[in-house]
């Protein structure tokens, strides 16, 4: 940056027309220097010869006739009028001589004496007025003022009056002045023609010479070398602008009248182009087009277009030569040439522009990352200067010592008015964005993004497009969202689910981004009820119902089980497809006949067997299932079916998600059901869906309880949310009938009278503190008051997570890691890593390159990230809002139910660094910051089907969830179940054989009594 020049702008004066920027507050120094140089760059007119015997003077050529108007070009709002005012004031008080750059080409000429005639706005000239008359009158006013104060120059004044009278004889030549030059009955009289008519005609035809003579006499009389006249806004009104340009071309071509035009060069070009086409005539163009319809080779339409291009270019070159065209630059250009300071009575001291905008970005948009702040700065300062300054002036209080919510809202309001035209141009309901309800804003934006087809370029609400209007809209909407996030922190999570998720699906081609009605995206938005106030958990459950039939693509009506971002297909209660469940979970057949079968008899009364036998049995099981059977055996479960004649299947070997939950203690049951929902097919069959996104939607609702200040009301709000969202709810696929859809997807309202949950499950007792109290303790410790992350930061977190999720899901291996508990554990790790990594980046902390790898098969990279966040000697990050946000998400007590506690729970051999152990240690420490009971609250009790047997105890839900089949998982690993088969083969002589397959099938697959 060139520090030799400093600009200081008083933001309190922005918008005050009575205060023009002078001195340090003037911005366009370079353009002003060029204007002054051009103004004085002319030669004194050649003295015309007098009449002689050889020829009359009137027929001589005007040798120094040239068009050298100065064009000050800029966009609307760039400060052209202010600039002209400053230039003319400098001429008026003579300071232009001091400001004139002596290194400019004008230095070769002595500084000329200039006389300002002020500014003319053609749009303010009455229709019957002519611009030339206005110019003549301005000069007359100057000479009359001179005569009033300097009466000793009577002879010179008389010469001026004489030249004006001569000029007046030819005024009838001008449009709108008098009658037609050769009209009237007088021209039928020979005496009139000889005595007066020809004299008037001669005066009219010699008008330009008379005008030049008048200007020269007037300039000499007032004591200047040239008059300076500014003509503003010629381009804004075509009907008024064209006569001005024609007057410049025809008459105002004397070097002693310096004309400064202002406007947008693009609009000037359109003005001239319009007129050139008009001169061709509609009838002529139509005739040529008709000729082309008969014989295309004979039409001149294309040649006419090329000629119009040439005429347009040459006309503008003649009126305003390229060397006299001066551009006014935006602030973004000037801050690269000079230092800029902003001052205000509301600031304690002048503030460098960079620091001011950095505060503005952080407090208005939640942007702290230097690249994002730099982009915002560039886009803000690239706006028309008037808009930039108004936005900066509106943020003065925001960038002061402190900023409360009302100050933030006023800054957002200012930006709304700055962006008003752009918002209207993109079809946004502007009134709906004014102080919006947190419940409505995301639905409003989703609807607008769909209707305007802007999901890909504007759904991250970041000014990174090539369109200034879109960038301005993105900045304003980011400010609106950030202000909403401060009031309602749960909306940040809802932004992930309602906006970021859809954008990712559109970006990857999973949903068509077409605004046409009937396209897949509009149909999806209708299915999601995106325009309603439904909470995020309901939203993503509807998304899951859409995805299980792939949105009805290719007339798909049946449900396609799979593991998707929106959820995994799981059995609900009774295991009907026992063979598929057994193969998926154990790698073996349910019954003999098709291959190696799971011999359930090997598990009967295993609690009574020797420890060595139990150990070999556990080692034969896949690691994700060992903990489940270990807990059952420790509790003395017999594995007997209802009749007790053989081993049972359901409960002991596989579970449906709702059936499993009913056997758990109250807290565990509620947590287990939060991610669960039912999907109704077109045949009215129910399928289970277990969704991390739904669980995240629940956490979003819980976070919003921080807005409730009364402790009792806050707990009630938490209880209502947990109760409502843990209840079984059904969501129809797109092919389900509308009546069933309305009936199946009834939602709750937060203030609705809700029945309390039914207490403990049928088989399991309660244990420890109630879940509601754990959540309240977490909320009390992490209020997230005034913590808001920028939409772009949230979008980057979600993009990283979704890519990590896809890779992680594809790496799940049948018989090793493709289990619901493992899947949920790894999904949470991938999610928390994405949030933590992008939080560090957003707070200007550069995590190592190795930390950018996503945790796909192991959480090792997340362990290193946690060490960077919590164990680093540099604790600066922990003082940022990004840390507050991550820490609140990371320490949520709900994760304790889903995270694996150690390596042995997930894999055969511990991985490097034992990531599961390290992650849970970090997690326990953060939870221990607000819970005295540490992590003990997440112990899970599970009741046996037989009342006489003890309750099984688990560390969380990890192992119980692993017995819930992931349906439609994918490829089958042929080696899965090999160790279990070998173990069973070794035990065959010792195992009492079961009754035949028929009796086995008649046992109803259900081990419950």
């Amino acid at each position: 940056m060139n520090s030799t020049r400093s600009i200081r702008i008083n933001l309190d004066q922005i918008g005050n027309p009575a205060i023009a920027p002078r001195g340090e507050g003037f911005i366009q120094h370079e353009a002003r220097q060029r204007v002054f140089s051009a103004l004085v760059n002319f030669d004194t007119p050649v003295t015309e010869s007098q009449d002689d015997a050889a020829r009359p003077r009137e027929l001589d050529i005007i040798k120094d006739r040239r068009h050298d108007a100065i064009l000050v070009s800029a966009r609307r709002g760039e400060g052209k009028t202010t600039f002209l005012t400053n230039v003319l004031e400098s001429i008026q008080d003579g300071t232009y001589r001091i400001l004139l750059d002596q290194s400019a080409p004008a230095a070769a000429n002595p500084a000329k004496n200039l006389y300002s005639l002020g500014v003319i706005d053609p749009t303010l000239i009455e229709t019957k007025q002519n611009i030339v008359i206005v110019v003549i009158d301005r000069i007359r006013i100057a000479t009359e003022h001179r005569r009033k104060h300097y009466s000793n120059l009577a002879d010179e004044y008389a010469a001026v009056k004489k030249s004006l009278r001569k000029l007046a004889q030819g005024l009838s030549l001008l449009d709108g002045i008098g009658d037609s030059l050769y009209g009237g009955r007088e021209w039928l009289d020979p005496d009139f023609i000889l005595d007066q008519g020809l004299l008037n005609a001669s005066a009219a035809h010699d008008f330009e010479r008379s005008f030049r003579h008048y200007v020269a006499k007037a300039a000499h009389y007032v004591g200047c070398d040239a008059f300076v006249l500014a003509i503003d806004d010629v381009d804004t009104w075509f009907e008024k602008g064209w006569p001005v340009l024609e007057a410049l071309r025809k008459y105002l071509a004397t070097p002693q009248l310096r004309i400064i035009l202002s406007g947008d060069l693009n609009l000037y070009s359109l003005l001239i182009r319009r007129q050139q086409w008009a001169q061709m005539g509609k009838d002529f163009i139509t005739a040529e087009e008709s000729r082309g319809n008969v014989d295309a080779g004979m039409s001149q339409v294309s040649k006419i277009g090329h000629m119009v291009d040439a005429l347009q270019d040459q006309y503008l070159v003649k009126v305003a030569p390229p060397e006299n065209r001066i551009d006014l630059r935006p602030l973004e250009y000037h801050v690269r040439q000079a230092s800029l300071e902003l001052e205000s009575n509301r600031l304690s001291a002048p503030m460098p522009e960079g620091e001011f905008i950095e505060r503005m970005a952080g407090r208005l948009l939640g942007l702290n990352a230097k690249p994002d702040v730099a982009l915002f700065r560039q886009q803000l300062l690239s706006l028309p200067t008037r808009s930039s300054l108004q936005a900066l002036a509106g943020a003065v209080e925001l960038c002061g010592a402190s900023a409360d919510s009302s100050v933030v809202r006023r800054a957002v309001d200012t930006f709304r008015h700055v962006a008003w035209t752009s918002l209207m141009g993109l079809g946004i309901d502007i009134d709906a964005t004014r102080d919006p309800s947190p419940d409505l804003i995301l639905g409003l934006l989703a609807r607008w993004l769909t209707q305007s087809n802007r999901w890909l370029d504007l759904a991250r609400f970041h000014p990174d497009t090539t369109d200034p209007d879109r960038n301005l809209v993105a900045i304003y909407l980011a400010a609106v969202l950030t202000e909403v996030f401060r009031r309602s922190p749960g909306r940040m999570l809802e932004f992930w689910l309602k906006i970021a998720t859809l954008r990712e699906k559109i970006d990857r081609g999973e949903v068509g981004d077409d605004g046409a009605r009937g396209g897949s995206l509009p149909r999806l938005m209708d299915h999601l009820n995106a325009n309603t106030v439904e909470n995020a958990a309901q939203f993503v459950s509807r998304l899951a119902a859409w995805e299980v039939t792939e949105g009805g693509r290719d007339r798909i009506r049946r449900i396609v089980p799979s593991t998707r971002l929106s959820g995994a297909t799981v059995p609900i209660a009774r295991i009907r497809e026992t063979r598929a469940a057994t193969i998926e979970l154990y790698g073996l057949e349910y019954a003999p006949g098709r291959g190696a079968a799971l011999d359930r008899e090997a598990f009967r009364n295993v609690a009574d067997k020797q420890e060595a036998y139990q150990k070999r049995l556990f080692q034969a099981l896949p690691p994700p299932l060992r903990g489940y059977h270990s807990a059952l055996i420790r509790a003395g479960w017999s594995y007997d079916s209802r009749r007790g004649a053989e081993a049972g299947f359901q409960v002991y070997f596989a579970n449906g998600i709702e059936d499993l939950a009913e056997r758990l203690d109250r807290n565990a049951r509620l947590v287990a059901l939060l991610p669960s929902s039912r999907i109704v097919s077109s045949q009215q069959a129910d399928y289970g869906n277990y969704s991390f996104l739904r669980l995240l939607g629940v956490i979003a609702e819980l976070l919003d309880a921080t807005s409730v200040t009364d402790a009792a009301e806050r707990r009630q709000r938490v209880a209502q949310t947990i109760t409502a969202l843990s209840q079984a709810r059904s969501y129809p696929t797109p092919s389900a009938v509308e009546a069933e859809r309305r009936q199946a997807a009834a939602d709750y309202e937060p203030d609705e009278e809700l029945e309390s949950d039914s207490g403990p499950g049928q088989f399991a007792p309660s244990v420890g503190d109630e879940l509601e109290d754990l959540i309240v303790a977490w909320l009390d410790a992490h209020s997230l008051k005034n913590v808001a992350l920028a939409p772009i930061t949230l979008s980057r977190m979600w993009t990283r997570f979704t890519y990590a999720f896809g890779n992680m899901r594809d790496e799940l291996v049948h018989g090793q890691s493709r289990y619901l508990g493992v899947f949920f554990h790894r999904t949470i790790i991938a999610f928390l890593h994405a949030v933590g990594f992008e939080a560090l980046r957003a707070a200007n902390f550069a995590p190592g390159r190795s930390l950018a790898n996503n945790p796909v098969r192991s959480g090792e990279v997340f362990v290193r990230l946690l060490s960077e966040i919590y164990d680093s000697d540099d604790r600066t990050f922990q003082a940022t809002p990004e840390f507050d946000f991550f820490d609140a998400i990371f320490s949520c007590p709900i994760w304790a139910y889903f995270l694996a506690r150690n390596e042995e729970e997930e894999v055969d051999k511990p991985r490097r660094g034992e990531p599961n152990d390290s992650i849970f240690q970090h997690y326990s420490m953060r939870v221990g910051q607000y819970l005295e009971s540490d992590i003990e609250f997440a112990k899970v009790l599970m009741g046996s089907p037989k009342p006489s047997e003890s309750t099984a105890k688990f560390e969380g839900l990890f192992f119980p969830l692993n017995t819930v089949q992931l349906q439609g998982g994918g490829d089958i690993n042929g080696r899965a179940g090999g160790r279990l088969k070998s173990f069973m083969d070794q035990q065959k002589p010792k195992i009492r054989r079961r009754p035949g397959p028929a009796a086995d099938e008649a046992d109803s697959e259900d081990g419950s009594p």
Side-chain angles (χ1 to χ4, degrees), residues 1-7 333-340:
M1 176 182 291
N2 181 5
S3 59
T4 58
R5 185 165 62 87
S6 175
I7 301 174
Y333 171 83
H334 295 288
V335 296
R336 289 188 274 115
Q337 310 299 319
S339 63
L340 174 61

Side-chain angles (χ1 to χ4, degrees), residues 631 634 661 663-672 764-771 774 893-899 901-902 905 920 923-924 927 931 933-943 951-960:
R634 284 197 307 270
R663 302 177 187 276
L664 303 177
D665 66 87
R666 177 186 180 276
N667 284 357
R669 178 171 58 83
L670 291 173
V671 173
S766 299
V767 60
D769 296 331
E770 290 194 340
L771 179 63
L774 303 175
I894 291 176
W895 305 138
Y897 288 89
F898 296 100
L899 291 175
R901 308 298 175 93
N902 52 62
E905 296 184 359
F920 205 80
Y923 176 75
S924 299
V927 173
L931 285 182
S933 60
D934 194 38
I935 212 69
E936 294 297 315
F937 67 86
K939 290 187 180 297
V940 172
L941 303 182
M942 179 176 175
T951 300
K953 299 178 181 179
F954 300 93
E955 301 287 341
L957 291 168
F958 179 78
F959 285 126

Side-chain angles (χ1 to χ4, degrees), residues 41-42 127 165 167 256 314 359 368 373 401 407 425 465 499 535 547 687 701 771 903 920 926 977 992:
N41 187 24
F42 67 92
T127 304
R165 187 173 296 278
L167 177 64
Q256 288 184 283
Q314 290 305 311
R359 288 192 185 185
N368 295 305
V373 173
V407 170
T465 76
I499 300 294
N535 62 65
E547 289 197 319
Y687 291 76
E701 288 296 304
L771 179 63
E903 286 292 284
F920 205 80
R926 297 312 299 175
R992 179 175 60 83

Side-chain angles (χ1 to χ4, degrees), residues 117-137:
L117 295 178
V119 181
I120 295 176
D121 185 344
T123 64
L124 302 180
I125 297 176
E126 295 299 329
T127 304
K128 294 183 179 180
Q129 285 184 293
N130 188 288
I131 184 67
V132 178
I133 298 296
V134 176
V135 173
I136 293 172
D137 185 56

